[in-house]
Amino acid sequence: MIVDDKLRTPGAVRDAERWTAHNYHPLPVVISSAEGAWLTDVDGRRYLDCLAGYSALNFGHRHPQLIAAAHAQLDRLTLTSRAFIHDQFADFCRELAELCGKDLVLPMNTGAEAVETGIKVARKWGYQVKGVAAGQANIVVAEGNFHGRTTTIVSFSTDEDARADFGPYTPGFTVVPYGDLDALTAAIDENTVAVLLEPIQGEQGVVVPPEGYLPGVRQVCTERNVLFIADEIQSGLGRTGATFACDHEGVVPDMYLLGKALGGGIVPVSAVAANADVLGVLKPGQHGSTFGGNPLACAVAIEVVRLLATGEFQRRSAELGERLRAGLEGLVGKGLVGVRVRGLWAGLDIDPALMSGREACERLAARGVLAKDTHGSTIRLAPPLVITEEEIDLAVTQLAEVLAG
Ligand SMILES: Cc1ncc(COP(=O)(O)O)c(C=O)c1O
């Protein structure tokens, strides 16, 4: 048996706290290796990953096809900058554009950069194509949104933790209640260039809007000549049992914002996909990134797109998601007061009288399951899409035990 003072975890947690800004409150688990849906910590303990890097690891840890692509690319070429063209670039952009059913792709790195890109493109489109008066462009966004952490993005956050004391804020955004089509329609005026929404609000606790909302948004955007920007950074690329969460309601936005899983859990890769009449407004010198669309990122992301093009991961997510749903719904009234499931993505509301989400995640970790609270007593499950039926059952069983006290 390992005695406590020989464990490496406490010292590693202490060092991490000592040497970094405290902008996160991680569970006290120190991971050193991973494979598929499983993580191993510095003391050799194994955990089932039920967060998957907030959906950045949809294909599991170290998927062989993705790792092979990364290794091969590392041996040839890693970075050129966009000053030159490299041999992975066109294939990535074409294959991703085809997956999205769009003309063009603009690659960036992080999700927040894709959102910033979407905002800039929409504003420019508004002035140059729609004819909005200079400096008047407005974008309608939703309460409870999470689109990232830049100063512009937190300017329209409704989460005070994310927003407070980071002003002065970027103007040009109108916040309306999520899921309320009348409110959204009323907020649109002649200066509105875009509606920016998550088709499912992940950070808010996997909040699924009422049926008909997304098609309604699509229709009003078309009627009023406003771009519909879908932030599919967390919801997209197989997570919900379809390639995009918008697919569940047959909705095609004008712009997809993608990130997280696009990098295969290996490198940060994000992108905006849209048609030429929208993305074509950008000209040389007006937007860019040193690392955006680099050879390593493109080589990995090409394989990500190819994995998605098989449909296997979307299918797994849809089928296994039903098993997850059945298991979790069985816990409503037994410690859970609400459950929302779309594919392998679940928001769970724990009875606040029992424990906080944080407490639940700490207890789950002690039982070998890693998940993350979103706020209050809500936790999110987003396991890698390579998870098996038995592993889903294991997660549900451990959760049941935690809720039973
Ligand atoms: C819907 C959504 N948009 C944007 C982001 C920001 O992505 P990143 O953290 O890569 O900047 C996130 C991250 O959680 C997200 O969930």
Side-chain angles (χ1 to χ4, degrees), residues 54 109-113 115 146-149 198 203 231-235 260:
Y54 303 97
N109 309 283
T110 65
E113 286 174 293
V115 175
F146 187 87
H147 296 287
R149 301 292 196 174
E198 297 153 87
E203 292 303 305
D231 180 344
E232 293 257 15
I233 288 165
Q234 194 167 159
S235 59
K260 294 197 191 284

Side-chain angles (χ1 to χ4, degrees), residues 44-353:
R45 290 173 293 217
R46 295 183 79 229
Y47 303 87
L48 180 62
D49 186 355
C50 284
L51 179 65
Y54 303 97
S55 289
L57 288 151
N58 280 0
F59 311 99
H61 295 268
R62 306 179 61 252
H63 187 287
Q65 196 172 323
L66 304 179
I67 292 292
H71 277 305
Q73 192 59 42
L74 279 171
D75 286 340
R76 291 200 303 115
L77 175 73
T78 55
L79 191 69
T80 56
S81 86
R82 293 282 308 277
F84 316 116
I85 301 169
H86 61 78
D87 64 359
Q88 303 295 303
F89 189 73
D91 282 349
F92 165 63
C93 294
R94 177 178 49 77
E95 292 189 35
L96 182 59
E98 285 171 1
L99 185 80
C100 296
K102 297 292 184 192
D103 297 339
L104 301 175
V105 157
L106 194 168
M108 297 294 283
N109 309 283
T110 65
E113 286 174 293
V115 175
E116 289 278 351
T117 304
I119 291 168
K120 286 177 69 176
V121 168
R123 285 179 169 183
K124 208 172 233 326
W125 174 88
Y127 298 124
Q128 297 194 340
V129 179
K130 182 167 175 171
V132 170
Q136 298 303 307
N138 187 268
I139 295 177
V140 178
V141 297
E143 260 172 37
N145 69 71
F146 187 87
H147 296 287
R149 301 292 196 174
T150 64
T151 43
T152 286
I153 293 171
V154 300
S155 293
F156 56 86
S157 172
T158 55
D159 172 356
E160 273 311 286
D161 277 346
R163 185 175 191 276
D165 294 335
F166 295 122
Y169 300 112
T170 306
F173 299 94
T174 305
V175 183
V176 296
Y178 188 62
D180 182 339
L181 187 59
D182 291 339
L184 183 136
T185 305
I188 291 176
D189 64 21
E190 72 278 9
N191 293 327
T192 306
V193 296
V195 169
L196 167 61
L197 292 176
E198 297 153 87
I200 294 174
Q201 289 188 329
E203 292 303 305
Q204 193 59 15
V206 191
V207 174
V208 182
E211 211 181 316
Y213 176 66
L214 296 174
V217 173
R218 174 65 279 178
Q219 190 180 340
V220 72
C221 284
T222 303
E223 287 169 2
R224 306 286 293 275
N225 194 24
V226 165
L227 299 177
F228 181 6
I229 307 176
D231 180 344
E232 293 257 15
I233 288 165
Q234 194 167 159
S235 59
L237 308 185
R239 173 53 55 193
T240 65
T243 304
F244 302 111
C246 284
D247 295 350
H248 291 286
E249 296 217 51
V251 165
V252 178
D254 297 296
M255 228 190 273
Y256 288 106
L257 308 182
L258 305 173
K260 294 197 191 284
L262 193 55
I266 299 176
V267 275
V269 186
S270 67
V272 173
N275 281 338
D277 57 337
V278 176
L279 264 184
V281 298
L282 288 182
K283 299 289 179 276
Q286 297 176 349
H287 193 58
S289 153
T290 303
F291 293 97
N294 70 70
L296 182 60
C298 287
V300 171
I302 286 171
E303 294 305 322
V304 164
V305 174
R306 289 178 185 167
L307 288 177
L308 285 166
T310 68
E312 182 199 333
F313 290 88
Q314 296 88 323
R315 219 169 16 252
R316 284 189 72 80
S317 179
E319 286 169 12
L320 293 167
E322 284 313 303
R323 193 175 185 96
L324 181 65
R325 178 196 301 281
L328 294 174
E329 285 180 351
L331 299 178
V332 173
K334 297 178 184 160
L336 293 185
V337 293
V339 168
R340 297 163 296 283
V341 185
R342 255 299 155 80
L344 278 171
W345 206 21
L348 323 177
D349 302 325
I350 295 169
D351 181 350

